[in-house]
């Protein structure tokens, strides 16, 4: 956790708060140390950006979750559009 905090210029308590808000849930090493993925570090960095601009941490976490959900929905929609574009057009009955 200390290394992740150093990388992002945050504190360990900030990362604990993100975990308590259920924004990120790091894996644990055999020794009990928190292990963050690159994706989780990107999410934490986005939350830090929002907090740095005055957004309360709980609201920042909710914003990041909603942004992530929107990105996923847009990706799925793009896949559907591509699939629909490659499918033969429906015939008139």
């Amino acid at each position: 956790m200390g290394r992740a905090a150093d990388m992002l210029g945050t504190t360990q308590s900030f990362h604990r708060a993100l975990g308590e808000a259920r924004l990120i849930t790091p894996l644990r090493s055999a020794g009990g140390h928190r292990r963050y993925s690159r994706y989780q570090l990107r999410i934490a960095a986005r939350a830090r950006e929002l907090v740095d601009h005055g957004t309360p941490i709980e609201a920042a976490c909710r914003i990041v979750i909603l942004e992530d959900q929107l990105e996923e929905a847009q990706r799925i929609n793009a896949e559907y559009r591509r699939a629909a574009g490659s499918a033969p057009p429906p015939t008139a009955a």
Side-chain angles (χ1 to χ4, degrees), residues 8-92:
L8 297 178
T10 61
T11 63
Q12 292 183 14
S13 63
F14 178 79
H15 287 267
R16 279 189 211 94
L18 296 180
E20 289 169 10
R22 297 183 185 190
L23 179 62
I24 54 176
T25 305
L27 296 174
R28 297 276 183 159
S29 70
H33 299 282
R34 291 175 177 87
R35 301 288 182 193
Y36 297 95
S37 68
R38 288 185 180 117
Y39 171 76
Q40 289 173 327
L41 291 174
R42 278 195 313 269
I43 294 289
R46 176 64 179 135
R48 178 180 183 250
E49 181 182 318
L50 291 167
V51 169
D52 286 350
H53 285 91
T55 306
I57 194 162
E58 297 83 12
C61 290
R62 184 66 182 141
I63 289 168
V64 171
I65 290 167
L66 291 170
E67 287 175 342
D68 195 50
Q69 289 173 344
L70 175 60
E71 184 179 323
E72 177 67 8
Q74 288 172 332
R75 184 191 62 76
I76 291 169
N77 285 340
E79 286 179 16
Y80 285 143
R81 282 191 211 103
R82 276 192 299 278
S86 63
T91 57

